[in-house]
Amino acid sequence: MSSTVAVVGAGAAGAAAAYALRDSPVDVTVFEKSGGVCGRAATRRASGCTYEYGANYLKSDDERVSELVTEELSTDGLVDVTEPVWTFDDDGKVSEGEETNDQMWTYESGLTQLAKRLFAATDASVHRHTQVETLVRDDETWRVVDDEGDDRGTFDALVLTPPAPQTADLLGQAEWEHGDCRDLRKSIAQVPFRTVISIVLHYPFELDVPYYALVNEGEGEGHDVGWVAREECKTGHVPDGESLLLVQMAPDWSAEYYHQPAPSIVDAAAEKTAALLDDERLDTPDWTDHQHWRYALPNGGPAVGALDDATEHDLFFAGDWVAGDARLHAAVRSGLETGDAVADHF
Ligand SMILES: Cc1cc2nc3c(=O)[nH]c(=O)nc-3n(C[C@H](O)[C@H](O)[C@H](O)COP(=O)(O)OP(=O)(O)OC[C@H]3O[C@@H](n4cnc5c(N)ncnc54)[C@H](O)[C@@H]3O)c2cc1C
């Protein structure tokens, strides 16, 4: 009989873990609380536009992940953003960025394609709209219970991929009487996460600027805006003659204004963006969208070796925070490595 594995979270890490297990004699079941896959690498469609309001692109910083995307998965609709990223300082002074050869990939129909294509290569069953609430350690197995109290099955191993604070909560609520549970929870809860509010600003005209995006070179610590990107630089995302700006507010600003009414946050973002790009037309977008990411980006990871004891309890972790790098390619790499480790475990 094949072994069974439950993966909590259908983000990039969960999808990559399932993908790495595709040729193993392991039955993979994935539980995802939201209605879609790819987690913080999220795509939305509105008024003929496609835009990424979480991760903006996948960078070619990891050879294994680059190979996966360009050689193993279908490259249909894979696009590279070729316009450069420029910088701005804390006073809003814009400068030409350093040239790099890095690729910034997305798909014409959006980054969520990454998780969709990974899952499509597997036999994993993916249960969306299923929030895992309680993990029960019975003898040598893990029982998964959802937030409605329904038993979702018993598994030989468990892979947890939610952001560290949510993974720590799952361990805190687990019915698992073992000292390692408390130690793991404590180590994971110590991984700090930054908050980011993403604002989408649409305009019925094209912008004439030489860059794809502007990034605050102080990593968003001294300016209220952290990042502004032009979605029209991604093939297939924005109709000709229009502009769609994706603005990520700096973590300090995002945390401070997190509970303010959305219209005031959007107005503030438009005003600050207009000032930064020195274009007063940007103060009045014709439509907007927004997303609050409480757990947006990990600042580092758990202490070296802190998660090692979990394996003897058939428990595994994957995600950007496990890699200690707030990047989509790091999440994918972590998922692939965790999938490999699960395969070796049986
Ligand atoms: C605003 C923003 C901008 C970013 N920009 C970039 C960028 O340009 N380039 C880049 O490389 N990276 C970027 N990142 C980071 C990138 O998005 C992440 O590193 C990556 O998506 C993390 O993937 P993951 O699978 O580790 O976690 P997630 O994507 O968070 O996946 C975890 C999944 O678990 C689910 N989940 C949580 N709790 C439960 C539960 N109890 N039961 C069931 N499911 C649950 C969640 O719904 C989610 O789908 C950005 C992130 C944000 C938020």
Side-chain angles (χ1 to χ4, degrees):
M1 213 173 69
S2 49
S3 304
T4 54
V5 177
V7 177
V8 179
Y19 179 83
L21 285 163
R22 70 196 183 289
D23 296 326
S24 312
V26 175
D27 281 345
V28 178
T29 305
V30 183
F31 299 107
E32 167 56 48
K33 71 174 178 179
S34 73
V37 300
C38 222
R40 279 172 279 151
T43 307
R44 228 175 241 161
R45 274 175 206 90
S47 304
C49 295
T50 298
Y51 49 94
E52 266 95 40
Y53 58 97
N56 282 203
Y57 54 79
L58 173 76
K59 213 170 180 181
S60 58
D61 255 7
D62 182 297
E63 217 174 297
R64 184 169 176 194
V65 176
S66 298
E67 245 178 61
L68 172 72
V69 168
T70 58
E71 291 172 32
E72 293 178 39
L73 299 177
S74 162
T75 54
D76 253 15
L78 182 70
V79 295
D80 181 19
V81 181
T82 51
E83 285 91 339
V85 175
W86 285 21
T87 63
F88 60 97
D89 66 14
D90 292 346
D91 299 322
K93 183 170 172 292
V94 173
S95 311
E96 205 164 325
E98 278 171 30
E99 275 201 29
T100 74
N101 293 323
D102 293 342
Q103 251 106 27
M104 295 180 279
W105 287 306
T106 182
Y107 294 92
E108 283 187 28
S109 51
L111 260 186
T112 47
Q113 279 295 313
L114 181 57
K116 286 180 183 162
R117 289 175 194 207
L118 287 167
F119 281 128
T122 75
D123 291 329
S125 54
V126 182
H127 301 262
R128 292 175 293 127
H129 301 292
T130 307
Q131 176 157 351
V132 172
E133 190 163 283
T134 313
L135 305 169
V136 185
R137 184 68 169 154
D138 294 325
D139 299 327
E140 299 285 288
T141 59
W142 285 102
R143 194 150 53 81
V144 171
V145 180
D146 69 21
D147 63 342
E148 301 197 337
D150 290 336
D151 190 329
R152 306 302 301 235
T154 295
F155 303 88
D156 298 313
L158 195 58
V159 179
L160 302 183
T161 75
Q166 294 170 330
T167 292
D169 284 350
L170 278 173
L171 290 176
Q173 285 160 228
E175 293 176 20
W176 179 25
E177 302 304 324
H178 196 289
D180 284 352
C181 179
R182 197 192 56 239
D183 294 345
L184 285 165
R185 189 191 61 72
K186 269 175 74 181
S187 304
I188 294 168
Q190 278 163 8
V191 178
F193 259 73
R194 285 167 282 165
T195 294
V196 172
I197 301 178
S198 293
I199 312 283
V200 173
L201 307 172
H202 179 272
Y203 305 92
F205 53 82
E206 272 180 35
L207 279 186
D208 183 20
V209 292
Y211 47 78
Y212 152 56
L214 293 177
V215 62
N216 181 222
E217 55 190 4
E219 293 198 346
E221 280 163 14
H223 197 288
D224 293 340
V225 175
W227 165 266
V228 182
R230 299 167 55 225
E231 287 291 292
E232 58 270 25
C233 295
K234 298 173 176 173
T235 310
H237 277 226
V238 180
D240 286 348
E242 303 178 16
S243 297
L244 191 147
L245 295 183
L246 196 294
V247 183
Q248 285 166 15
M249 302 309 288
D252 285 352
W253 194 94
S254 298
E256 189 180 339
Y257 289 87
Y258 197 81
H259 296 292
Q260 295 297 313
S264 68
I265 291 179
V266 172
D267 285 353
E271 193 185 311
K272 289 170 193 299
T273 303
L276 181 62
L277 274 69
D278 194 21
D279 185 341
E280 61 186 25
R281 296 175 303 166
L282 302 183
D283 215 354
T284 48
D286 64 346
W287 59 264
T288 66
D289 193 3
H290 60 91
Q291 172 77 26
H292 288 43
W293 297 101
R294 175 173 288 288
Y295 303 121
L297 305 165
N299 246 355
V304 175
L307 307 181
D308 291 355
D309 288 344
T311 311
E312 66 191 68
H313 305 289
D314 312 305
L315 177 61
F316 298 82
F317 303 94
D320 56 355
W321 64 271
V322 176
D325 188 5
R327 291 277 154 192
L328 183 54
H329 60 77
V332 174
R333 176 69 183 236
S334 168
L336 293 173
E337 286 176 353
T338 298
D340 291 345
V342 173
D344 288 348
H345 185 65
F346 293 115

